[in-house]
Amino acid sequence: MPFLLRVLLPDVPGSLGRVATAIGMAGGDIEAIEIVEKRDDGTVVDDVLLELEQGMMPDSVVSACNLLDGVEVVWISRYPAGGNLVMDLEAVEELTASPAEAIDRLIGLLPATFRVDWAARVHRAKGVVQRTSAAPEEFEFVEIEAPSRLESPEDEVTLFAAARLDGNEIVVIGRRGGPEFAESEIARLGHLCGLAITIANA
């Protein structure tokens, strides 16, 4: 059964190896690793896609990692079967493959790229004009100047982040239950939206 583990660890040689060993000893099999954020305090946040043996609980992996000095499990959750980590460069390759469809393709790529549940394109006057299947059919346009987290008093379970496409449209992504969007993820969302616009208008 696939799980996605987000872990905070010291940004020094050998740290990731210790985490990988602990996961293996606890019965987990690592499928992929992606760096989410490097921090100024000398730590790094990594996402680890792993497979657990049938009937095994993720608590054993969490405990094994948390026992390591300087390592903290931020979040763990089941990951969709067949899911994989799509890095930004792979997303850009998809966008450039068909420039005329870059904006439409962007929305479809965002859930895998950011490990979120859904993505949507929201127009100032028309509301939701494009969305992935799990996205809400209605979402209110929010005036933002820069990529940012969004608050929603109506939904206390989902975390939201958004970036502008232009003056009339924003892209919103939703992640149910966590983890909190890292600053680097917010910046990456804005960067990808900007690239999609540039590619579409080239």
Side-chain angles (χ1 to χ4, degrees):
M1 181 176 296
F3 281 82
L4 187 67
L5 173 79
R6 176 163 291 186
V7 62
L8 175 72
L9 62 155
D11 190 14
V12 296
S15 286
L16 187 56
R18 291 189 300 124
V19 170
T21 299
I23 291 173
M25 294 291 288
D29 183 26
I30 295 176
E31 301 287 333
I33 298 174
E34 181 179 352
I35 297 172
V36 174
E37 184 172 54
K38 288 196 174 196
R39 298 183 173 175
D40 294 335
D41 62 0
T43 60
V44 62
V45 178
D46 287 350
D47 276 354
V48 182
L49 181 64
L50 55 93
E51 189 80 25
L52 296 184
E53 297 171 357
Q54 189 65 33
M56 210 187 124
M57 298 299 291
D59 300 2
S60 57
V61 170
V62 173
S63 298
C65 292
N66 282 338
L67 286 174
L68 300 174
D69 188 36
V71 175
E72 176 191 348
V73 172
V74 178
W75 181 79
I76 190 169
S77 177
R78 286 187 181 180
Y79 197 69
N84 62 348
L85 301 182
V86 179
M87 298 188 185
D88 293 6
L89 287 177
E90 294 173 333
V92 172
E93 287 180 3
E94 283 284 324
L95 297 178
T96 55
S98 182
E101 301 172 2
I103 303 300
D104 291 339
R105 288 193 175 199
L106 172 70
I107 302 305
L109 289 168
L110 289 177
T113 305
F114 288 92
R115 280 84 61 204
V116 295
D117 295 288
W118 55 263
R121 186 158 51 108
V122 183
H123 188 274
R124 179 187 300 274
K126 301 174 184 176
V128 176
V129 293
Q130 183 189 359
R131 65 187 183 94
T132 57
S133 59
E137 294 183 5
E138 296 181 5
F139 198 96
E140 189 173 340
F141 179 88
V142 180
E143 195 72 61
I144 54 173
E145 291 301 317
S148 58
R149 299 178 186 89
L150 300 181
E151 300 293 331
S152 175
E154 292 84 23
D155 188 340
E156 298 179 355
V157 176
T158 306
L159 302 171
F160 304 96
R164 284 179 56 163
L165 278 177
D166 56 33
N168 291 313
E169 287 192 346
I170 60 172
V171 168
V172 182
I173 54 177
R175 178 185 283 160
R176 290 183 58 82
E180 184 67 62
F181 286 104
E183 291 297 332
S184 61
E185 290 180 295
I186 303 294
R188 286 170 52 215
L189 177 62
H191 183 64
L192 281 176
C193 287
L195 280 175
I197 287 291
T198 300
I199 291 167
N201 294 332

